[in-house]
Amino acid sequence: MTHMETDIQNLLRPNIARLEPYSSARNEFKGEASVFLDANENPLNPPYNRYPDPLQRQVKEAISDLKGVAPEHIFLGVGSDEPIDLLFRAFCRPGVDNVVAIAPTYGMYRVCADINDVEYRSVLLEDDFDFRPGKVLAAADENTKLIFFCSPNNPAGNALSADRIIEVLDRFGGIVVVDEAYIDFSSQPSFLHRLPQYPRLVVLQTFSKAWGSAAVRLGMAFASTGIVDVFNKIKYPYNINQLTQEYALSLLSRHGEVRQWVQQLVAEREQLARRLAGYGFVRRVYPSDANFLLVRTDDARRLYDFLVDRGIIVRNRDSVTLCEGCVRITVGTPAENRVLLEALDAYAGPIQKQ
């Protein structure tokens, strides 16, 4: 066992370190055969009568080719929420350990902590929606197992300072998770190229956003083999179904088209930001590296209700820390964005006359 693997083992919950994983029929035999009589499958209704590849090897090979990360460093989950939950289940002792995250950020980190009975420590972001490494590290102690960074972050849309994340990676002895759900829309580089340097780094990405496949529920976690092995040890045996694997392979072959989608959405984002900034009721449009904009207004509830009445749904973030008066607007198609702007024109008229 290497030093790195020993390090990961020492961070694990003791019961997970001792766990003998379930061994499925498809784990025990890997290869081609003419007759499969090992998994108690119905021999009728091919190909969906057969259990899918439990490790999704073909999909990982395709992702590897695209991302430049070896397949053994890739874990596929049911959305990013599965690897997030697995991190808690693998490394955090209920009622004993804790995790640290910035605030505001993606809400599932806290929900997973509550489900797993793990203390969740929030560190408030600065007014520019970036963080100070010293504050994050000061919130950690000897029982802190995970630190979460969502970058680009939700709901502000900004990419966090890479140098500050690196400072935490250099100084923290636990697992650092960088959730890059929106990275495809950002000009900032991914942390994927830093995986060899930081064996306790986990990078999360997803097919939900740039890949336009939120309904499919397929997330990616990139990490050291020590961490990926732990994920595979405790996941459900066949967590990614055959239909999803086939869809993912088809979509990955269209990566050029996906890049065009991203370019279109980024252009729409910039145009939408300029138009929004011109309204008198808008106090600020925050810079975004994602496919949405955080917009501070005079009255978020009034604006939200006005748009709902016209069948346009944005997200009211007025109750979120640091987001008072804010709505979050996802970048739509050009046609959808025109409908939004026409409604905002109508909203602005009465507001400006008051």
Side-chain angles (χ1 to χ4, degrees):
M1 186 177 292
T2 66
H3 171 74
M4 181 274 290
E5 290 170 331
T6 302
D7 197 21
I8 297 299
Q9 288 293 310
N10 290 338
L11 290 170
L12 284 173
R13 291 170 55 186
N15 65 304
I16 299 299
R18 296 190 301 266
L19 179 69
E20 286 294 328
Y22 174 76
S23 180
S24 71
R26 292 297 171 262
N27 280 121
E28 293 176 8
F29 176 81
K30 306 177 185 70
E32 298 297 325
S34 58
V35 179
F36 283 97
L37 302 176
D38 57 340
N40 297 340
E41 298 155 326
N42 188 327
L44 309 177
N45 192 39
Y48 301 114
N49 59 328
R50 301 298 180 188
Y51 287 106
D53 177 3
L55 295 177
Q56 312 93 36
R57 293 172 182 85
Q58 281 187 286
V59 182
K60 289 177 181 175
E61 288 284 353
I63 293 171
S64 174
D65 291 342
L66 191 63
K67 301 284 186 179
V69 178
E72 60 267 25
H73 293 281
I74 303 172
F75 174 82
L76 298 181
V78 181
S80 294
D81 294 333
E82 182 178 7
I84 290 169
D85 185 55
L86 290 178
L87 284 162
F88 282 93
R89 291 164 58 193
F91 294 103
C92 298
R93 294 168 294 174
V96 177
D97 292 325
N98 67 77
V99 304
V100 172
I102 55 176
T105 194
Y106 179 46
M108 275 304 295
Y109 312 141
R110 181 185 290 274
V111 170
C112 283
D114 291 344
I115 289 170
N116 288 282
D117 191 21
V118 173
E119 182 188 356
Y120 184 88
R121 299 180 177 182
S122 293
V123 177
L124 190 64
L125 292 171
E126 305 298 307
D127 289 340
D128 62 356
F129 286 105
D130 210 339
F131 73 99
R132 300 296 177 262
K135 288 186 178 181
V136 169
L137 292 165
D141 60 22
E142 65 276 7
N143 289 329
T144 304
K145 293 298 183 66
L146 308 170
I147 294 179
F148 285 94
F149 295 112
C150 185
S151 181
N153 193 23
N154 181 6
N158 61 304
L160 302 175
S161 168
D163 290 342
R164 296 175 187 181
I165 295 175
I166 290 168
E167 182 176 342
V168 174
L169 279 164
D170 286 335
R171 295 173 58 186
F172 178 59
I175 307 292
V176 175
V177 184
V178 180
D179 188 342
E180 295 185 338
Y182 301 97
I183 193 64
D184 299 280
F185 303 103
S186 176
S187 60
Q188 300 295 316
S190 169
F191 265 73
L192 287 179
H193 72 282
R194 299 189 183 276
L195 287 171
Q197 185 181 355
Y198 294 103
R200 294 190 304 276
L201 169 65
V202 177
V203 178
L204 302 177
Q205 294 187 8
T206 181
F207 283 87
S208 294
K209 310 300 181 182
W211 293 84
S213 299
V216 175
R217 309 310 306 132
L218 186 59
M220 298 167 276
F222 303 87
S224 64
T225 55
I227 293 176
V228 170
D229 288 347
V230 170
F231 286 164
N232 288 329
K233 184 178 183 181
I234 63 177
K235 75 176 181 72
Y236 292 131
Y238 302 105
N239 61 324
I240 307 299
N241 67 68
Q242 183 64 25
L243 292 168
T244 297
Q245 293 187 43
E246 291 173 2
Y247 174 85
L249 285 169
S250 173
L251 187 62
L252 285 160
S253 70
R254 298 162 53 202
H255 58 85
E257 182 181 353
V258 173
R259 280 198 295 268
Q260 292 177 351
W261 296 347
V262 170
Q263 291 169 1
Q264 175 184 333
L265 290 172
V266 169
E268 285 291 316
R269 180 188 73 197
E270 300 311 309
Q271 181 176 338
L272 186 61
R274 286 193 297 270
R275 288 290 306 274
L276 290 169
Y279 290 111
F281 60 88
V282 170
R283 296 181 180 179
R284 184 173 183 187
V285 180
Y286 287 90
S288 177
D289 292 281
N291 68 328
F292 59 85
L293 294 165
L294 186 69
V295 183
R296 193 176 299 276
T297 72
D298 288 340
D299 190 334
R301 168 53 62 180
R302 181 178 180 180
L303 175 59
Y304 175 81
D305 290 342
F306 180 89
L307 292 173
V308 167
D309 286 343
R310 284 151 182 80
I312 302 168
I313 313 302
V314 298
R315 195 84 185 269
N316 185 357
R317 299 283 77 189
D318 184 55
S319 62
V320 175
T321 306
L322 296 182
C323 297
E324 295 80 4
C326 290
V327 294
R328 194 191 71 195
I329 302 175
T330 305
V331 178
T333 65
E336 289 172 331
N337 295 335
R338 281 194 299 273
V339 172
L340 169 68
L341 291 168
E342 288 168 2
L344 293 178
D345 288 342
Y347 178 81
I351 294 293
Q352 290 169 352
K353 292 175 183 176
Q354 292 177 0

